Amino acid sequence: LANVKMSMNPFDEIAVEEAIRLKEKGVVTEIVAISVGPQKAQETLRTALAMGADRAILVLCDDEVEPLAVAKIIKGIADEEAPGLIITGKQAIDDDSNQVGQMVAALLGRPQGTFANEVTVEGDSVVVKREIDGGLQTVKLALPAVVTTDLRLNEPRYASLPNIMKAKSKPLANKTPADYGVDTAARLKTLKVVEPAVRSAGIKVPDVDTLVAKLKEMGVA
Amino acid sequence: MSKVQDATLAAITAASQLGEVTALVAGAGCDGAAQAAAQIAGVAKVLKADDAAYANALAENLAPLIAGLMADYDGFVAPATTTGKNVAPRVAALLDVMQVSDILSVEGPKTFTRPIYAGNAIATVESTDAKLVITVRGTAFAKADATGGSASIEAVSAGADSGLSTFVSAEIAKSERPELTSAKIIVSGGRALKDAATFEAIITPLADKLGAGIGASRAAVDAGYVPNDYQVGQTGKIVAPEVYIAVGISGAIQHLAGMKDSKGLFVSGSQMPRRLHPMQL
């Protein structure tokens, strides 16, 4: 990943957007954006600040951090900050793990609303409509709670140029995993990474009859 | 008699590559499901947790039950369905272990392969944890036989309701069609179908004729042509049918991540999308 363009994970953009919308509705007073990673992750936090987050915490860690360690760091921050709602993306599109939100909820002993399609805060609880296999499910969670965002929760806004400039002066605290007593040693050893098998090249059929004939040859139609 | 989901049968195949398999059936009024589980080939024992707290598979109630049972087991294996993905990481964190998500194969007692970067790379990982928590990609393993087994059923006592979450309602899309993740043929539509009526008019008759499941790209779902559970891709369903027919789909990598292990692939459109081109049959 030496020379690759990096950006905020799409599901996290949706999470930031949802937090801002809740603030705009008046049910949230402050938004703290968190990232765990190298110094470069600061840029991602500035993006969140430019979108509308109030302040940010960067937990510096140069090694790759697994979901369990990230969850423990978030728990450490949550213990200090006591947020009413923790919003994460449902999965990061690099490791595709889909674990952090659920793990944070488990470590904090809080309820979880994963794959959220709609989030409504009602007094001391949050109603989450979840995208599940086969349709949608609505659950009611006692606050404080953890919510992970699915694609259709909202359409994230773009940070405007004035807001990007303003974000530069918003507070950003630097921390380390040790501040929260978290050991980031990997539990999973990556033995190797290979490219998936390449498919053999296809053919182009000129018309529908040939296509159907081919399908019949395969024994499927 | 309840029917066991294909994804669960595939998870049992993966689990049996690791050792003796005990199936946990948790729910409210789950006698039928427990009996169905006992007949699955390869299942040595069935644990049944029948309690109102387990209706609707809320993670807050299920995870402590599973974590509690793990004292006697080396690993917990779940299908990578929305339920499995919701519950398993919560179990892993309670046990203080890393979960191995969405495995494609079992390479050794603690070694597995799994896709990363939307399936553009396959990582081989080895767990160094004392206990394993794994979710299994249903399309990557053969289904265990739903009959032929004769496991004993043992009731386990339920834990208390956590009181953290309650089920409100569910809207399940009614469908007479084969379930998407187990369909042999899938006809999938994308943005180019223009609207819901055109999608219905073009995709449905073809799917009916072929007895196929209907899929969609994210663009088609976002535009409201079909419900969200039709979505095939990195964040939707992962499918690997005998034949996948993509109509009006450009072949973005997030879509390919969900269907590129299909055996045959047919693409329709006057302009062949470049990304799908090398993947045709």
Side-chain angles (χ1 to χ4, degrees), chain A residues 1 11 66 72 90 94-97 99 102 105 110 112 114 133-134 136 138 140 142 152 187 189 191-192 194 199 202-203 211, chain B residues 60 82 85-86 90 96 99 101 114 117-118 122 124 126 128-129 164 166 168-169 171 173 231 234-235 260 262-263 266 280-281:
Chain A
L1 297 177
F11 290 102
E66 289 175 346
K72 286 178 179 177
K90 84 163 174 181
D94 51 2
D95 74 351
D96 282 335
S97 285
Q99 299 177 14
Q102 294 90 317
R110 291 181 182 183
Q112 65 192 45
T114 50
D133 295 335
L136 295 163
T138 306
K140 189 171 184 174
R152 275 165 284 276
R187 307 286 192 88
K189 273 194 289 183
L191 303 179
K192 63 177 177 189
V194 297
R199 294 183 74 101
I203 53 161
L211 172 61
Chain B
E60 294 79 0
T82 48
K85 289 192 271 197
N86 188 38
R90 195 167 176 115
D96 191 29
Q99 171 180 292
S101 295
R114 60 175 307 264
Y117 296 104
I122 309 295
T124 304
E126 185 185 0
T128 60
D129 280 318
L164 292 170
T166 44
V168 178
S169 64
E171 301 158 38
Q231 187 180 328
Q234 185 184 17
T235 65
K260 67 181 172 188
S262 308
K263 291 190 183 66
F266 294 92
Q280 309 154 62
L281 190 81

Short mmCIF file of all heavy atoms in Angstrom, two decimals, chain A residues 1 11 66 72 90 94-97 99 102 105 110 112 114 133-134 136 138 140 142 152 187 189 191-192 194 199 202-203 211, chain B residues 60 82 85-86 90 96 99 101 114 117-118 122 124 126 128-129 164 166 168-169 171 173 231 234-235 260 262-263 266 280-281:
data_model
loop_
_atom_site.label_atom_id
_atom_site.label_comp_id
_atom_site.label_asym_id
_atom_site.label_seq_id
_atom_site.Cartn_x
_atom_site.Cartn_y
_atom_site.Cartn_z
N LEU A 1 0.83 -1.21 0.00
CA LEU A 1 0.00 0.00 0.00
C LEU A 1 0.86 1.25 0.00
O LEU A 1 0.45 2.30 0.47
CB LEU A 1 -0.90 0.01 1.24
CG LEU A 1 -1.92 -1.14 1.33
CD1 LEU A 1 -2.69 -1.04 2.63
CD2 LEU A 1 -2.86 -1.13 0.16
N PHE A 11 -18.03 3.39 5.28
CA PHE A 11 -19.00 3.17 6.35
C PHE A 11 -18.78 4.13 7.52
O PHE A 11 -19.71 4.48 8.23
CB PHE A 11 -18.93 1.72 6.85
CG PHE A 11 -19.45 0.74 5.84
CD1 PHE A 11 -18.58 -0.01 5.07
CD2 PHE A 11 -20.81 0.58 5.65
CE1 PHE A 11 -19.06 -0.90 4.13
CE2 PHE A 11 -21.30 -0.31 4.71
CZ PHE A 11 -20.41 -1.05 3.94
N GLU A 66 -5.49 -5.03 15.19
CA GLU A 66 -6.63 -5.92 14.95
C GLU A 66 -7.90 -5.37 15.62
O GLU A 66 -7.81 -4.61 16.58
CB GLU A 66 -6.33 -7.31 15.52
CG GLU A 66 -5.29 -8.05 14.70
CD GLU A 66 -4.89 -9.37 15.35
OE1 GLU A 66 -5.21 -9.59 16.54
OE2 GLU A 66 -4.28 -10.19 14.65
N LYS A 72 -10.71 -2.55 22.32
CA LYS A 72 -10.26 -2.29 23.69
C LYS A 72 -9.87 -0.82 23.86
O LYS A 72 -10.10 -0.22 24.91
CB LYS A 72 -9.07 -3.20 24.03
CG LYS A 72 -9.49 -4.64 24.27
CD LYS A 72 -8.29 -5.52 24.55
CE LYS A 72 -8.75 -6.94 24.81
NZ LYS A 72 -7.60 -7.85 25.02
N LYS A 90 -20.00 -0.53 9.68
CA LYS A 90 -20.24 -1.96 9.90
C LYS A 90 -19.00 -2.78 9.59
O LYS A 90 -18.78 -3.82 10.18
CB LYS A 90 -21.45 -2.45 9.11
CG LYS A 90 -21.22 -2.83 7.66
CD LYS A 90 -22.38 -3.68 7.14
CE LYS A 90 -22.23 -3.94 5.65
NZ LYS A 90 -23.33 -4.74 5.10
N ASP A 94 -10.99 -2.68 3.94
CA ASP A 94 -9.71 -3.34 3.67
C ASP A 94 -9.67 -4.74 4.29
O ASP A 94 -9.50 -5.72 3.59
CB ASP A 94 -8.52 -2.47 4.13
CG ASP A 94 -8.64 -1.98 5.56
OD1 ASP A 94 -9.63 -2.33 6.24
OD2 ASP A 94 -7.75 -1.24 6.00
N ASP A 95 -9.88 -4.83 5.62
CA ASP A 95 -9.80 -6.17 6.20
C ASP A 95 -11.15 -6.90 6.20
O ASP A 95 -11.21 -8.09 6.48
CB ASP A 95 -9.17 -6.15 7.60
CG ASP A 95 -10.11 -5.59 8.67
OD1 ASP A 95 -11.19 -5.07 8.29
OD2 ASP A 95 -9.78 -5.67 9.85
N ASP A 96 -12.24 -6.17 5.87
CA ASP A 96 -13.57 -6.80 5.77
C ASP A 96 -13.94 -7.64 6.99
O ASP A 96 -14.64 -8.66 6.84
CB ASP A 96 -13.67 -7.65 4.49
CG ASP A 96 -13.88 -6.81 3.24
OD1 ASP A 96 -14.42 -5.70 3.37
OD2 ASP A 96 -13.51 -7.27 2.14
N SER A 97 -13.51 -7.25 8.19
CA SER A 97 -13.74 -8.10 9.35
C SER A 97 -15.17 -8.02 9.91
O SER A 97 -15.75 -9.03 10.27
CB SER A 97 -12.78 -7.73 10.48
OG SER A 97 -11.50 -8.22 10.21
N GLN A 99 -16.22 -6.55 12.86
CA GLN A 99 -16.14 -7.02 14.24
C GLN A 99 -16.11 -5.90 15.29
O GLN A 99 -16.61 -6.11 16.40
CB GLN A 99 -14.84 -7.83 14.45
CG GLN A 99 -14.73 -9.06 13.58
CD GLN A 99 -13.41 -9.79 13.76
OE1 GLN A 99 -12.68 -9.53 14.71
NE2 GLN A 99 -13.11 -10.68 12.86
N GLN A 102 -19.30 -4.69 17.39
CA GLN A 102 -19.84 -5.76 18.25
C GLN A 102 -18.91 -5.99 19.44
O GLN A 102 -19.36 -6.23 20.57
CB GLN A 102 -19.96 -7.07 17.45
CG GLN A 102 -20.98 -7.05 16.31
CD GLN A 102 -20.38 -6.61 14.99
OE1 GLN A 102 -19.62 -5.65 14.92
NE2 GLN A 102 -20.73 -7.31 13.92
N ALA A 105 -19.24 -3.22 22.02
CA ALA A 105 -20.47 -3.41 22.79
C ALA A 105 -20.28 -4.50 23.85
O ALA A 105 -20.71 -4.35 24.99
CB ALA A 105 -21.62 -3.77 21.85
N ARG A 110 -22.70 -3.25 26.66
CA ARG A 110 -23.79 -2.41 26.16
C ARG A 110 -24.51 -3.11 25.01
O ARG A 110 -23.93 -3.98 24.37
CB ARG A 110 -23.21 -1.09 25.64
CG ARG A 110 -22.67 -0.22 26.74
CD ARG A 110 -22.16 1.06 26.16
NE ARG A 110 -21.59 1.90 27.21
CZ ARG A 110 -21.12 3.12 26.97
NH1 ARG A 110 -21.12 3.60 25.75
NH2 ARG A 110 -20.63 3.84 27.96
N GLN A 112 -26.11 -3.57 21.20
CA GLN A 112 -25.57 -3.23 19.88
C GLN A 112 -26.68 -3.22 18.83
O GLN A 112 -27.56 -4.07 18.83
CB GLN A 112 -24.49 -4.25 19.49
CG GLN A 112 -25.01 -5.68 19.28
CD GLN A 112 -23.88 -6.69 19.18
OE1 GLN A 112 -22.92 -6.67 19.96
NE2 GLN A 112 -23.98 -7.58 18.19
N THR A 114 -26.42 -3.40 15.06
CA THR A 114 -25.52 -3.53 13.91
C THR A 114 -26.29 -3.36 12.60
O THR A 114 -27.48 -3.59 12.52
CB THR A 114 -24.84 -4.91 13.91
OG1 THR A 114 -25.85 -5.91 14.08
CG2 THR A 114 -23.85 -5.03 15.05
N ASP A 133 -30.52 -10.45 6.60
CA ASP A 133 -30.83 -11.33 5.48
C ASP A 133 -32.35 -11.48 5.44
O ASP A 133 -32.96 -11.82 6.44
CB ASP A 133 -30.20 -12.72 5.70
CG ASP A 133 -28.67 -12.66 5.71
OD1 ASP A 133 -28.11 -11.72 5.10
OD2 ASP A 133 -28.05 -13.53 6.33
N GLY A 134 -32.94 -11.23 4.31
CA GLY A 134 -34.38 -11.42 4.20
C GLY A 134 -35.20 -10.16 4.42
O GLY A 134 -36.38 -10.14 4.13
N LEU A 136 -35.73 -6.39 6.96
CA LEU A 136 -35.33 -5.42 7.98
C LEU A 136 -35.85 -5.86 9.34
O LEU A 136 -36.90 -6.47 9.45
CB LEU A 136 -35.92 -4.03 7.63
CG LEU A 136 -35.40 -3.39 6.35
CD1 LEU A 136 -36.35 -2.27 5.90
CD2 LEU A 136 -34.00 -2.84 6.56
N THR A 138 -36.32 -4.32 13.44
CA THR A 138 -36.22 -3.16 14.31
C THR A 138 -36.02 -3.61 15.75
O THR A 138 -36.74 -4.48 16.24
CB THR A 138 -37.50 -2.29 14.20
OG1 THR A 138 -37.70 -1.99 12.82
CG2 THR A 138 -37.34 -1.01 14.98
N LYS A 140 -34.96 -2.16 19.89
CA LYS A 140 -34.89 -1.01 20.77
C LYS A 140 -33.79 -1.28 21.78
O LYS A 140 -33.79 -2.32 22.44
CB LYS A 140 -36.24 -0.83 21.47
CG LYS A 140 -36.36 0.46 22.24
CD LYS A 140 -37.81 0.63 22.69
CE LYS A 140 -37.97 1.99 23.38
NZ LYS A 140 -39.37 2.26 23.70
N ALA A 142 -31.31 -0.01 25.05
CA ALA A 142 -31.17 0.91 26.16
C ALA A 142 -29.87 1.70 25.97
O ALA A 142 -28.83 1.13 25.65
CB ALA A 142 -31.14 0.14 27.47
N ARG A 152 -27.14 2.21 3.66
CA ARG A 152 -28.31 3.01 3.34
C ARG A 152 -28.79 3.90 4.50
O ARG A 152 -29.86 4.47 4.44
CB ARG A 152 -29.44 2.11 2.84
CG ARG A 152 -29.32 1.83 1.36
CD ARG A 152 -30.17 0.69 0.91
NE ARG A 152 -29.58 -0.56 1.30
CZ ARG A 152 -28.64 -1.19 0.60
NH1 ARG A 152 -28.21 -0.69 -0.52
NH2 ARG A 152 -28.14 -2.34 1.02
N ARG A 187 -3.08 -11.16 17.37
CA ARG A 187 -3.49 -12.50 17.77
C ARG A 187 -3.56 -13.42 16.57
O ARG A 187 -3.50 -14.63 16.69
CB ARG A 187 -4.89 -12.47 18.42
CG ARG A 187 -5.03 -11.48 19.57
CD ARG A 187 -4.31 -12.00 20.80
NE ARG A 187 -4.66 -11.21 21.97
CZ ARG A 187 -5.72 -11.48 22.75
NH1 ARG A 187 -6.51 -12.48 22.49
NH2 ARG A 187 -5.97 -10.72 23.79
N LYS A 189 -1.78 -14.41 13.10
CA LYS A 189 -0.57 -14.25 12.31
C LYS A 189 -0.94 -14.39 10.85
O LYS A 189 -1.55 -15.37 10.45
CB LYS A 189 0.44 -15.34 12.67
CG LYS A 189 1.33 -14.98 13.84
CD LYS A 189 2.51 -15.94 13.92
CE LYS A 189 2.04 -17.33 14.37
NZ LYS A 189 3.13 -18.29 14.54
N LEU A 191 0.08 -15.48 7.52
CA LEU A 191 1.16 -16.31 6.98
C LEU A 191 1.48 -15.93 5.55
O LEU A 191 2.63 -15.89 5.16
CB LEU A 191 0.77 -17.79 7.06
CG LEU A 191 0.39 -18.30 8.47
CD1 LEU A 191 -0.01 -19.76 8.42
CD2 LEU A 191 1.54 -18.09 9.45
N LYS A 192 0.46 -15.65 4.78
CA LYS A 192 0.70 -15.16 3.42
C LYS A 192 -0.55 -14.51 2.86
O LYS A 192 -1.65 -14.72 3.35
CB LYS A 192 1.17 -16.30 2.51
CG LYS A 192 0.14 -17.39 2.33
CD LYS A 192 0.63 -18.45 1.35
CE LYS A 192 -0.42 -19.57 1.26
NZ LYS A 192 -0.03 -20.73 0.55
N VAL A 194 -2.19 -13.94 -1.00
CA VAL A 194 -2.04 -14.25 -2.42
C VAL A 194 -3.19 -13.64 -3.21
O VAL A 194 -4.22 -13.28 -2.65
CB VAL A 194 -2.01 -15.78 -2.68
CG1 VAL A 194 -0.82 -16.41 -1.99
CG2 VAL A 194 -3.31 -16.43 -2.22
N ARG A 199 -9.85 -16.10 -13.32
CA ARG A 199 -10.79 -16.84 -14.15
C ARG A 199 -10.27 -16.94 -15.57
O ARG A 199 -9.60 -16.04 -16.06
CB ARG A 199 -12.13 -16.12 -14.20
CG ARG A 199 -12.84 -16.06 -12.89
CD ARG A 199 -14.17 -15.37 -13.10
NE ARG A 199 -15.10 -16.26 -13.78
CZ ARG A 199 -16.06 -16.93 -13.14
NH1 ARG A 199 -16.18 -16.82 -11.85
NH2 ARG A 199 -16.88 -17.70 -13.81
N GLY A 202 -13.37 -15.24 -21.06
CA GLY A 202 -14.68 -15.61 -21.54
C GLY A 202 -14.80 -15.51 -23.04
O GLY A 202 -13.85 -15.19 -23.75
N ILE A 203 -15.97 -15.82 -23.52
CA ILE A 203 -16.24 -15.63 -24.94
C ILE A 203 -17.43 -14.68 -25.07
O ILE A 203 -18.23 -14.56 -24.15
CB ILE A 203 -16.56 -16.95 -25.67
CG1 ILE A 203 -17.70 -17.68 -24.94
CG2 ILE A 203 -15.33 -17.82 -25.80
CD1 ILE A 203 -18.39 -18.71 -25.80
N LEU A 211 -26.27 -17.95 -27.02
CA LEU A 211 -26.16 -17.92 -25.57
C LEU A 211 -26.95 -19.06 -24.95
O LEU A 211 -26.44 -19.82 -24.13
CB LEU A 211 -26.68 -16.57 -25.04
CG LEU A 211 -26.82 -16.45 -23.51
CD1 LEU A 211 -25.48 -16.63 -22.82
CD2 LEU A 211 -27.42 -15.11 -23.12
N GLU B 60 -27.23 -9.61 22.48
CA GLU B 60 -26.99 -9.31 23.90
C GLU B 60 -27.31 -10.52 24.79
O GLU B 60 -26.72 -10.69 25.85
CB GLU B 60 -27.83 -8.10 24.34
CG GLU B 60 -27.44 -6.79 23.68
CD GLU B 60 -27.99 -6.65 22.25
OE1 GLU B 60 -28.68 -7.57 21.77
OE2 GLU B 60 -27.70 -5.63 21.60
N THR B 82 -26.14 -12.48 8.50
CA THR B 82 -26.22 -11.27 9.32
C THR B 82 -26.31 -11.65 10.80
O THR B 82 -25.77 -10.94 11.66
CB THR B 82 -27.42 -10.37 8.93
OG1 THR B 82 -28.59 -11.15 8.81
CG2 THR B 82 -27.14 -9.65 7.63
N LYS B 85 -22.74 -12.74 11.91
CA LYS B 85 -21.84 -11.58 11.97
C LYS B 85 -22.19 -10.65 13.12
O LYS B 85 -21.35 -9.92 13.63
CB LYS B 85 -21.90 -10.80 10.64
CG LYS B 85 -21.24 -11.56 9.49
CD LYS B 85 -21.06 -10.69 8.28
CE LYS B 85 -22.24 -10.73 7.37
NZ LYS B 85 -21.95 -10.23 6.01
N ASN B 86 -23.45 -10.70 13.55
CA ASN B 86 -23.89 -9.86 14.66
C ASN B 86 -23.43 -10.45 15.99
O ASN B 86 -22.96 -9.73 16.86
CB ASN B 86 -25.43 -9.75 14.63
CG ASN B 86 -25.97 -8.75 15.63
OD1 ASN B 86 -25.37 -7.70 15.85
ND2 ASN B 86 -27.09 -9.08 16.25
N ARG B 90 -19.18 -10.54 19.24
CA ARG B 90 -19.52 -10.26 20.64
C ARG B 90 -19.05 -11.43 21.52
O ARG B 90 -18.53 -11.23 22.61
CB ARG B 90 -21.04 -10.03 20.78
CG ARG B 90 -21.42 -9.40 22.10
CD ARG B 90 -22.85 -8.87 22.13
NE ARG B 90 -23.14 -8.38 23.46
CZ ARG B 90 -23.38 -7.12 23.77
NH1 ARG B 90 -23.40 -6.19 22.84
NH2 ARG B 90 -23.61 -6.77 25.02
N ASP B 96 -12.16 -12.78 24.98
CA ASP B 96 -10.88 -12.12 24.74
C ASP B 96 -10.05 -12.83 23.66
O ASP B 96 -8.87 -13.10 23.83
CB ASP B 96 -10.06 -12.00 26.04
CG ASP B 96 -8.86 -11.08 25.87
OD1 ASP B 96 -8.94 -10.15 25.05
OD2 ASP B 96 -7.83 -11.31 26.54
N GLN B 99 -11.62 -12.80 16.35
CA GLN B 99 -12.42 -13.63 15.48
C GLN B 99 -11.76 -13.74 14.10
O GLN B 99 -11.16 -12.78 13.63
CB GLN B 99 -13.81 -13.01 15.32
CG GLN B 99 -14.65 -13.69 14.25
CD GLN B 99 -16.01 -13.05 14.12
OE1 GLN B 99 -16.84 -13.12 15.01
NE2 GLN B 99 -16.22 -12.38 13.00
N SER B 101 -12.90 -13.88 10.48
CA SER B 101 -14.16 -13.63 9.76
C SER B 101 -14.18 -14.27 8.39
O SER B 101 -13.19 -14.23 7.66
CB SER B 101 -14.37 -12.12 9.58
OG SER B 101 -14.55 -11.47 10.81
N ARG B 114 -8.94 -16.38 4.28
CA ARG B 114 -10.07 -15.47 4.24
C ARG B 114 -9.80 -14.34 3.25
O ARG B 114 -8.65 -13.97 3.02
CB ARG B 114 -10.37 -14.89 5.63
CG ARG B 114 -9.23 -14.12 6.28
CD ARG B 114 -9.70 -13.52 7.59
NE ARG B 114 -10.91 -12.73 7.39
CZ ARG B 114 -10.91 -11.40 7.22
NH1 ARG B 114 -9.80 -10.71 7.25
NH2 ARG B 114 -12.04 -10.76 7.03
N TYR B 117 -9.71 -6.97 1.18
CA TYR B 117 -9.84 -6.01 0.08
C TYR B 117 -10.90 -6.44 -0.92
O TYR B 117 -10.62 -6.59 -2.12
CB TYR B 117 -8.50 -5.79 -0.63
CG TYR B 117 -7.46 -5.17 0.28
CD1 TYR B 117 -6.44 -5.94 0.81
CD2 TYR B 117 -7.53 -3.83 0.62
CE1 TYR B 117 -5.50 -5.39 1.67
CE2 TYR B 117 -6.59 -3.26 1.47
CZ TYR B 117 -5.59 -4.04 1.99
OH TYR B 117 -4.67 -3.50 2.83
N ALA B 118 -12.11 -6.66 -0.43
CA ALA B 118 -13.24 -7.01 -1.29
C ALA B 118 -12.94 -8.24 -2.15
O ALA B 118 -13.37 -8.31 -3.29
CB ALA B 118 -13.66 -5.82 -2.15
N ILE B 122 -6.34 -12.98 -0.97
CA ILE B 122 -6.71 -14.05 -0.04
C ILE B 122 -5.58 -14.16 0.99
O ILE B 122 -4.44 -14.41 0.64
CB ILE B 122 -6.85 -15.41 -0.78
CG1 ILE B 122 -7.77 -15.30 -2.00
CG2 ILE B 122 -7.36 -16.48 0.20
CD1 ILE B 122 -9.20 -14.98 -1.71
N THR B 124 -3.86 -15.97 4.32
CA THR B 124 -3.83 -17.17 5.15
C THR B 124 -3.44 -16.70 6.55
O THR B 124 -2.40 -16.08 6.73
CB THR B 124 -2.78 -18.17 4.63
OG1 THR B 124 -3.09 -18.45 3.26
CG2 THR B 124 -2.82 -19.48 5.43
N GLU B 126 -3.18 -17.50 10.90
CA GLU B 126 -3.10 -18.51 11.95
C GLU B 126 -3.47 -17.84 13.27
O GLU B 126 -2.91 -16.81 13.63
CB GLU B 126 -1.69 -19.09 12.03
CG GLU B 126 -1.57 -20.22 13.02
CD GLU B 126 -0.14 -20.72 13.19
OE1 GLU B 126 0.77 -20.19 12.52
OE2 GLU B 126 0.05 -21.63 14.00
N THR B 128 -3.48 -17.40 17.23
CA THR B 128 -2.62 -17.78 18.37
C THR B 128 -3.44 -17.77 19.66
O THR B 128 -2.89 -17.88 20.75
CB THR B 128 -1.45 -16.78 18.51
OG1 THR B 128 -1.99 -15.48 18.72
CG2 THR B 128 -0.58 -16.77 17.28
N ASP B 129 -4.76 -17.61 19.51
CA ASP B 129 -5.62 -17.56 20.70
C ASP B 129 -5.91 -18.96 21.23
O ASP B 129 -5.83 -19.95 20.50
CB ASP B 129 -6.94 -16.87 20.35
CG ASP B 129 -6.81 -15.35 20.34
OD1 ASP B 129 -6.16 -14.82 21.25
OD2 ASP B 129 -7.36 -14.72 19.42
N LEU B 164 -30.97 -5.43 27.87
CA LEU B 164 -30.32 -4.33 27.16
C LEU B 164 -31.04 -3.97 25.87
O LEU B 164 -31.01 -2.84 25.42
CB LEU B 164 -28.86 -4.69 26.85
CG LEU B 164 -27.90 -4.81 28.02
CD1 LEU B 164 -26.57 -5.41 27.56
CD2 LEU B 164 -27.67 -3.45 28.66
N THR B 166 -34.50 -4.98 23.08
CA THR B 166 -35.74 -5.69 22.84
C THR B 166 -36.05 -5.67 21.35
O THR B 166 -35.72 -4.72 20.65
CB THR B 166 -36.93 -5.05 23.59
OG1 THR B 166 -36.85 -3.63 23.42
CG2 THR B 166 -36.93 -5.39 25.06
N VAL B 168 -38.46 -5.25 18.31
CA VAL B 168 -39.66 -4.46 18.07
C VAL B 168 -40.48 -5.06 16.94
O VAL B 168 -41.64 -5.40 17.11
CB VAL B 168 -39.31 -2.98 17.76
CG1 VAL B 168 -40.59 -2.18 17.46
CG2 VAL B 168 -38.55 -2.34 18.91
N SER B 169 -39.86 -5.20 15.77
CA SER B 169 -40.60 -5.73 14.63
C SER B 169 -39.63 -6.18 13.55
O SER B 169 -38.44 -5.89 13.61
CB SER B 169 -41.53 -4.65 14.05
OG SER B 169 -40.74 -3.58 13.55
N GLU B 171 -39.55 -6.71 9.10
CA GLU B 171 -40.21 -6.69 7.79
C GLU B 171 -39.42 -7.64 6.92
O GLU B 171 -38.31 -7.32 6.49
CB GLU B 171 -40.14 -5.30 7.16
CG GLU B 171 -40.78 -4.20 7.98
CD GLU B 171 -40.23 -2.83 7.58
OE1 GLU B 171 -40.00 -2.60 6.38
OE2 GLU B 171 -40.01 -2.01 8.49
N ALA B 173 -39.00 -9.59 3.52
CA ALA B 173 -39.46 -9.57 2.14
C ALA B 173 -39.96 -10.97 1.77
O ALA B 173 -39.25 -11.95 1.91
CB ALA B 173 -38.32 -9.14 1.22
N GLN B 231 -29.35 -7.16 -2.63
CA GLN B 231 -28.03 -6.67 -3.05
C GLN B 231 -26.96 -7.74 -2.99
O GLN B 231 -26.76 -8.40 -1.97
CB GLN B 231 -27.60 -5.48 -2.19
CG GLN B 231 -26.33 -4.83 -2.70
CD GLN B 231 -25.89 -3.65 -1.86
OE1 GLN B 231 -26.73 -2.94 -1.31
NE2 GLN B 231 -24.61 -3.44 -1.75
N GLN B 234 -19.87 -6.86 -1.87
CA GLN B 234 -19.04 -6.84 -0.65
C GLN B 234 -19.88 -6.59 0.59
O GLN B 234 -19.66 -7.19 1.63
CB GLN B 234 -17.99 -5.74 -0.79
CG GLN B 234 -16.99 -5.69 0.36
CD GLN B 234 -16.02 -4.52 0.22
OE1 GLN B 234 -16.25 -3.59 -0.52
NE2 GLN B 234 -14.91 -4.59 0.94
N THR B 235 -20.85 -5.69 0.48
CA THR B 235 -21.65 -5.37 1.66
C THR B 235 -23.05 -5.97 1.59
O THR B 235 -23.85 -5.77 2.47
CB THR B 235 -21.77 -3.85 1.85
OG1 THR B 235 -22.50 -3.32 0.76
CG2 THR B 235 -20.42 -3.20 1.93
N LYS B 260 -18.02 -13.20 -7.90
CA LYS B 260 -17.02 -13.63 -8.86
C LYS B 260 -16.65 -15.11 -8.74
O LYS B 260 -15.93 -15.62 -9.59
CB LYS B 260 -15.79 -12.74 -8.83
CG LYS B 260 -15.00 -12.81 -7.57
CD LYS B 260 -13.84 -11.84 -7.73
CE LYS B 260 -13.10 -11.70 -6.43
NZ LYS B 260 -12.11 -10.64 -6.53
N SER B 262 -18.97 -17.34 -9.02
CA SER B 262 -20.01 -18.04 -9.78
C SER B 262 -19.33 -18.88 -10.85
O SER B 262 -18.31 -18.48 -11.39
CB SER B 262 -20.94 -17.03 -10.46
OG SER B 262 -21.43 -16.09 -9.52
N LYS B 263 -19.93 -20.06 -11.16
CA LYS B 263 -19.26 -20.95 -12.11
C LYS B 263 -19.35 -20.40 -13.52
O LYS B 263 -18.36 -20.30 -14.23
CB LYS B 263 -19.85 -22.34 -12.01
CG LYS B 263 -19.46 -22.97 -10.69
CD LYS B 263 -19.79 -24.43 -10.60
CE LYS B 263 -19.44 -24.96 -9.22
NZ LYS B 263 -20.27 -24.36 -8.16
N PHE B 266 -22.79 -14.66 -17.26
CA PHE B 266 -23.25 -14.10 -18.51
C PHE B 266 -23.60 -12.66 -18.31
O PHE B 266 -24.22 -12.28 -17.34
CB PHE B 266 -24.44 -14.88 -19.05
CG PHE B 266 -24.07 -16.27 -19.41
CD1 PHE B 266 -24.19 -17.28 -18.48
CD2 PHE B 266 -23.50 -16.54 -20.64
CE1 PHE B 266 -23.78 -18.55 -18.79
CE2 PHE B 266 -23.10 -17.82 -20.95
CZ PHE B 266 -23.24 -18.83 -20.02
N GLN B 280 -16.25 -13.55 -18.26
CA GLN B 280 -17.33 -14.29 -18.88
C GLN B 280 -16.94 -15.74 -19.07
O GLN B 280 -15.78 -16.08 -19.03
CB GLN B 280 -17.66 -13.75 -20.27
CG GLN B 280 -17.88 -12.30 -20.35
CD GLN B 280 -17.54 -11.86 -21.75
OE1 GLN B 280 -18.15 -12.30 -22.69
NE2 GLN B 280 -16.54 -11.03 -21.87
N LEU B 281 -17.95 -16.53 -19.34
CA LEU B 281 -17.67 -17.96 -19.51
C LEU B 281 -16.94 -18.19 -20.82
O LEU B 281 -17.32 -17.66 -21.83
CB LEU B 281 -18.98 -18.74 -19.51
CG LEU B 281 -18.72 -20.23 -19.44
CD1 LEU B 281 -18.45 -20.63 -18.02
CD2 LEU B 281 -19.91 -20.99 -20.00
#
